[in-house]
Amino acid sequence: MPQLCNNESIGRFISLSPTLKRIPPFDTMKKSAIRVWLGIALSVRLVLSLSNFAELDNSNTRHSRRSFLGTTGGLALSTAAANFGIKPSDASGSIASNKNLPYTTDPEAGQFYFPALTPPFSNRATFLYSLGRDAWALEQLLTFANVTATIRCNVIKLKETGGLWVHSPQWPTGEFCSLLDSIGAPVEHVVLPCNAFEHKAPMQAFTKKYPRAKVWISPGQFGPLGSCGQTLSKCNMGYRVDGILGPGNPLPPWANEFDMSTLYVEIPKNAGPVSEVSFCHRPTKTLVATDSVLYAPGGDAPDIFATYFDRTKTMTDPTFWPRTVLQAVFLPLRTDGDGNYPGYDAIKDRLVRAPILRALVDSRAPEAVREWIQEQTTGWEFDRILTSHFASPIKAGPADVRAAFDYLFAEEQLDPNLPPIACKDWELLNGINKFVADSNAGAPVTFDFQRGCVEL
């Protein structure tokens, strides 16, 4: 889930998408044009065609808010969610998450928004999860070619005002707005936490639906969806922006409840800067992350996938979920002699840094990322994490986050909890980096992002 609109990911787009057969040879393209492609490709990084396992079926049965609550009972919904994920990691460092939290939907309110810039363009379902501690998640799907991933808007009720703090809002369909409004509190603040396309794209539409909300964005926005530097003096996002979440800017009024840490680094030759902000909600000991870490649970795909895929055919394929996870984090679909996916087994059920971010970002800005993680893991107190992709809340604390980035910190012995990714499974991302270097289309790799890989 890279959060960055950088240059490098055109390589995977080149190697894997059959649509690229219609593009002229890259040695005939100007480097400036290549960089534009690179920025777009990383923004919509899930566009690839590694396999043809995605079968669209819009006739699937969906859970409506009415039928779901009638089956499980509203009390069960709130109680089960409130009792989940409130314990810190135990002494052994075990981490747990629950992808099967109860949810509500309201498809009758409408699952269409026009113009939506990210697919699906119709039948865009939204699931609302109660996460406990006055927090909620509204989840939608991102569907690019044969790759589908979840994306979440996390919402926290502010202790001081009782209003809602909305992190990375998604497309405001009738269903999305109905579920958000059902929380029963006004939307007071909206946060764009990074400059990734899929997080940035819905912002203007959402702010039109909730015009009274104050808007706060990460620095370094660029591209066709708006630009904004490190201050408001040069900011044109197409909607009102009330503040920039970075050094040298006034603190937002909700800063008395949140700690903030901003990753901002300009990488030579990139289409734009790297930008992502992490938050720690002190009253609830909750880290709110965007793409910095993820937790991909084992087992079956979450129920929201049944709003897009045939539950009785596609989703019963035992390879569906492993392939979905691997394509989202950009590891190859390599199988062993038993038909299992070693890359999936290496990263599932653990807190990890997405491999594509290790390869494309950490390899070029290791010091900036290291300082960013250091700030979050030395002075903040949290015992759970809310992320924008895959499952959450995740029962994890600062030590767990630090361990997920141990390849950036340890000089010799690496943390044994790092995912045991085979060295050969980095070949795809190595190929992207090689293309960038050979074409002089981006910054060079300066750090061994594969540290700790397993030789076969």
Side-chain angles (χ1 to χ4, degrees):
M1 305 314 99
Q3 77 279 19
L4 316 163
C5 299
N6 297 347
N7 294 347
E8 298 83 0
S9 65
I10 188 64
R12 67 180 177 182
F13 198 82
I14 295 165
S15 303
L16 302 172
S17 176
T19 62
L20 266 290
K21 294 177 181 177
R22 297 190 293 272
I23 295 177
F26 282 88
D27 57 3
T28 67
M29 297 174 66
K30 294 182 179 180
K31 287 187 174 61
S32 60
I34 292 176
R35 287 170 186 151
V36 172
W37 270 99
L38 291 169
I40 295 173
L42 186 53
S43 300
V44 292
R45 59 192 175 274
L46 297 177
V47 181
L48 54 140
S49 299
L50 289 176
S51 63
N52 291 315
F53 70 95
E55 180 179 339
L56 175 60
D57 185 337
N58 291 325
S59 63
N60 301 297
T61 302
R62 299 187 179 95
H63 303 283
S64 70
R65 178 193 300 169
R66 190 177 300 108
S67 65
F68 179 79
L69 289 180
T71 302
T72 64
L75 180 60
L77 169 67
S78 59
T79 302
N83 288 337
F84 170 73
I86 61 174
K87 296 181 180 179
S89 302
D90 60 29
S92 66
S94 65
I95 298 173
S97 183
N98 187 349
K99 68 178 181 184
N100 296 316
L101 286 176
Y103 56 84
T104 59
T105 69
D106 189 10
E108 293 86 356
Q111 297 182 330
F112 177 79
Y113 184 86
F114 182 82
L117 302 179
T118 56
F121 299 113
S122 63
N123 299 320
R124 181 186 295 270
T126 304
F127 280 22
L128 173 68
Y129 303 90
S130 177
L131 308 180
R133 310 189 199 183
D134 278 342
W136 298 262
L138 293 105
E139 184 174 65
Q140 295 181 350
L141 288 178
L142 286 171
T143 58
F144 292 105
N146 290 329
V147 178
T148 305
T150 57
I151 185 165
R152 288 187 170 196
C153 163
N154 289 304
V155 178
I156 292 178
K157 180 179 286 188
L158 297 172
K159 300 296 182 183
E160 184 173 311
T161 66
L164 299 182
W165 181 88
V166 178
H167 176 272
S168 188
Q170 289 305 300
W171 293 102
T173 63
E175 181 176 36
F176 183 98
C177 295
S178 172
L179 294 172
L180 178 59
D181 294 344
S182 73
I183 294 174
V187 175
E188 290 187 351
H189 299 278
V190 182
V191 174
L192 173 60
C194 65
N195 55 7
F197 181 86
E198 71 273 20
H199 295 281
K200 185 176 178 178
M203 279 291 293
Q204 185 173 33
F206 184 85
T207 57
K208 285 182 178 179
K209 290 283 187 179
Y210 297 91
R212 295 184 179 180
K214 301 292 186 182
V215 179
W216 312 88
I217 67 175
S218 70
Q221 301 293 329
F222 66 96
L225 296 181
S227 61
C228 197
Q230 297 187 66
T231 66
L232 284 176
S233 60
K234 295 183 178 180
C235 197
N236 181 14
M237 296 295 293
Y239 50 87
R240 188 193 75 251
V241 174
D242 296 284
I244 307 296
L245 301 173
N249 291 285
L251 291 174
W254 40 266
N256 59 335
E257 294 189 28
F258 286 86
D259 291 314
M260 291 182 291
S261 180
T262 300
L263 172 66
Y264 179 90
V265 59
E266 304 234 8
I267 300 178
K269 302 178 184 178
N270 272 28
V274 170
S275 173
E276 182 176 345
V277 186
S278 291
F279 307 88
C280 182
H281 189 232
R282 292 190 297 270
T284 60
K285 294 186 177 181
T286 299
L287 175 68
V288 184
T290 308
D291 296 330
S292 59
V293 291
L294 62 86
Y295 183 96
D300 299 325
D303 282 352
I304 194 170
F305 281 79
T307 67
Y308 189 81
F309 297 99
D310 185 333
R311 184 189 290 273
T312 62
K313 295 179 181 179
T314 305
M315 289 183 63
T316 56
D317 182 342
T319 71
F320 174 79
W321 183 237
R323 289 155 70 100
T324 299
V325 172
L326 289 173
Q327 290 174 310
V329 302
F330 221 68
L331 289 178
L333 300 181
R334 180 178 65 87
T335 57
D336 60 18
D338 297 322
N340 299 316
Y341 293 90
Y344 170 72
D345 292 336
I347 66 171
K348 71 174 182 178
D349 295 327
R350 65 173 73 220
L351 189 72
V352 301
R353 173 70 157 168
I356 190 171
L357 282 178
R358 284 180 64 168
L360 302 185
V361 179
D362 303 352
S363 66
R364 291 169 170 81
E367 292 185 7
V369 176
R370 188 183 300 119
E371 291 174 1
W372 184 51
I373 297 302
Q374 186 79 6
E375 182 176 10
Q376 298 173 51
T377 57
T378 55
W380 294 4
E381 294 184 10
F382 56 88
D383 58 25
R384 70 174 192 168
I385 306 173
L386 307 184
T387 60
S388 291
H389 304 281
F390 292 105
S392 66
I394 306 160
K395 186 181 73 172
D400 301 307
V401 174
R402 167 63 175 72
F405 288 83
D406 197 56
Y407 57 90
L408 284 176
F409 290 90
E411 296 183 2
E412 296 181 4
Q413 187 68 32
L414 295 179
D415 191 290
N417 290 317
L418 279 176
I421 299 172
C423 298
K424 69 181 303 179
D425 285 343
W426 289 107
E427 290 176 359
L428 181 61
L429 290 164
N430 278 329
I432 296 174
N433 283 330
K434 184 178 185 302
F435 168 79
V436 172
D438 291 348
S439 62
N440 195 29
V445 170
T446 62
F447 180 80
D448 181 14
F449 60 90
Q450 303 173 89
R451 291 189 67 204
C453 71
V454 178
E455 293 285 357
L456 299 180

